Amino acid sequence: MALLCITLFLVSCGYSEEERARMRKIAETGEKNAVNYIQEKYGFLPGVVRVDRCMKRDEVFSDLYAEGCVVAVLEHEGKEFRVHISGESATTEGVDDFQRELIEEEADRYFADLLGYEICDIYLEYREEPVEDRYSDDQEKNMISEFYRAGDFDNFIKRHTVYCRIDDFLNRDIAEWAEKNSEAVSFLENHVSEYGMRIVLISYRSEEDYENGYTHTYGRGGLMDFDIEQDSLYIRSYMMFVEEDAEYNCFEIQEYDGILFGCIDKKAGADLLIESDRNPWRDLGETKKEPVSEIYSVSGEESGFITVYIPADRYEDQWKGRSLYIQRNGENGWSQYEENICRTSDKKYIFFMYPNFYGGDFDFAVFP
């Protein structure tokens, strides 16, 4: 179950007086424990910003109940940080993220030296203990009990489960880097195998493309390339280390009638065949009237997501308030559905992703 934290001023409706008293006691004890923990570990007395009680939801009745711990937000010399600690009894055993900035700075230098190129952005996520279930939120990320000593990052990544995303703006084919830096590749593959590290290297086409990218959440929670195809317009290539052998992908962009189509480049030449008005729109009862756009047909032999980028100004000028539909012929015959469209961060394109997992064709068109 996901760990939930709610504030000290949790509305008490629905709780018995005994439970409300217990929650107040947890908050009071947790605050004292957090302050004492920091004073003992770092040698200064922190200020208290707030104390959040840790709550869990009962699987049977869906009620929230106090788990017995707190996350205290503390402050020292203008810097806020967190402590996760018990609120049930006096203790100075907890975890905190006071040294997170130092650890991230050293990670930046460490990986820049290892990889041999300039890192433009880095995301680092680590846990106190090895994480068996990467989808679990039960353990606080970027919070540790140890006192991190500067210069010890090489050993730090052996003691903790580390997820890392490293971005550059160099428009690189990372496969070429890997061929020339086999020792760095072997190092990362070894740390994946031996210490549970997961890391993804992403090369954006330019700094502007990085800024315009739809999301920069790759790597979080160990999901290194989840939905990365939505940024195929901006990313040139990436290499992911999550198993013993690294996985490499490069994105291909094709243009047709002012519309851009992105997919993972898997063969020489164009991976997609794109045409218009090749296939008729079938009468399946999903759409009414005739399409107000051409019927675009896309064929891709290789499995994977295909991302379609339509210039936003064109969509708004010609099709504002209209609906975009997909038509495909699958295992159960022909089907149609209305597609949910997203907008890129720079607002220049609207886009959607088509899951072409089995290879084949799909059509799309705009309807009134």
Side-chain angles (χ1 to χ4, degrees), residues 86-309:
S86 174
E88 294 185 310
S89 59
T91 183
T92 55
E93 294 183 2
V95 292
D96 70 276
D97 63 359
F98 179 71
Q99 294 181 291
R100 179 178 178 179
E101 291 180 1
L102 170 62
I103 294 171
E104 290 178 343
E105 289 172 2
E106 297 213 338
D108 193 316
R109 293 193 296 269
Y110 181 88
F111 284 115
D113 290 342
L114 173 68
L115 302 175
Y117 61 82
E118 181 183 1
I119 293 173
C120 298
D121 191 27
I122 184 170
Y123 170 78
L124 189 70
E125 182 179 314
Y126 48 87
R127 309 285 174 128
E128 174 74 357
E129 301 291 343
V131 177
E132 295 183 1
D133 180 4
R134 77 173 77 176
Y135 303 101
S136 172
D137 289 330
D138 284 345
Q139 190 181 138
E140 293 289 336
K141 64 182 180 182
N142 300 333
M143 301 179 75
I144 55 176
S145 61
E146 72 173 77
F147 181 89
Y148 178 76
R149 301 189 182 281
D152 194 40
F153 189 78
D154 185 55
N155 292 315
F156 179 84
I157 59 178
K158 297 176 182 178
R159 295 194 297 269
H160 304 285
T161 299
V162 172
Y163 303 150
C164 185
R165 183 191 73 245
I166 295 175
D167 301 323
D168 71 66
F169 312 149
L170 304 176
N171 193 29
R172 297 181 306 128
D173 184 335
I174 295 181
E176 297 177 358
W177 168 86
E179 290 178 1
K180 300 175 182 178
N181 293 272
S182 58
E183 290 186 6
V185 172
S186 296
F187 177 91
L188 295 175
E189 289 176 336
N190 177 72
H191 276 59
V192 167
S193 175
E194 294 294 324
Y195 307 110
M197 174 188 283
R198 288 180 171 84
I199 185 168
V200 60
L201 313 178
I202 302 178
S203 186
Y204 284 81
R205 300 178 191 274
S206 68
E207 184 173 358
E208 181 181 8
D209 284 314
Y210 174 82
E211 297 297 334
N212 291 338
Y214 182 67
T215 183
H216 295 294
T217 59
Y218 312 117
R220 296 184 183 180
L223 303 177
M224 311 312 290
D225 68 341
F226 181 70
D227 275 354
I228 198 169
E229 292 86 355
Q230 64 194 347
D231 272 333
S232 57
L233 182 60
Y234 308 107
I235 294 174
R236 168 76 181 280
S237 66
Y238 72 96
M239 181 170 283
M240 184 171 60
F241 298 82
V242 296
E243 304 293 344
E244 291 185 0
D245 296 321
E247 177 184 338
Y248 160 80
N249 286 306
C250 186
F251 286 114
E252 173 182 310
I253 299 295
Q254 294 177 228
E255 185 271 339
Y256 181 87
D257 191 28
I259 300 174
L260 301 176
F261 298 79
C263 66
I264 290 177
D265 189 358
K266 293 186 177 181
K267 66 178 185 180
D271 282 53
L272 304 176
L273 173 63
I274 308 163
E275 300 174 281
S276 59
D277 294 332
R278 180 185 70 188
N279 297 327
W281 195 267
R282 296 173 179 269
D283 183 9
L284 303 180
E286 297 293 334
T287 55
K288 299 178 181 179
K289 301 182 179 180
E290 295 297 313
V292 296
S293 72
E294 295 184 71
I295 301 172
Y296 296 95
S297 300
V298 185
S299 301
E301 298 177 358
E302 302 292 339
S303 175
F305 281 101
I306 298 172
T307 308
V308 179
Y309 297 89

Side-chain angles (χ1 to χ4, degrees), residues 314-333:
R314 174 182 178 183
Y315 195 90
E316 292 169 357
D317 289 343
Q318 299 180 11
W319 305 316
K320 186 175 182 180
R322 311 298 176 88
S323 299
L324 189 150
Y325 278 82
I326 302 291
Q327 173 179 267
R328 65 182 296 271
N329 187 14
E331 295 178 349
N332 299 317

Side-chain angles (χ1 to χ4, degrees), residues 5-8 27 50-55 69-73 83:
C5 292
I6 65 176
T7 67
L8 179 62
R50 70 175 187 273
V51 178
D52 298 338
R53 283 179 295 245
C54 300
M55 308 294 289
C69 57
V70 303
V71 173
V73 180
V83 173

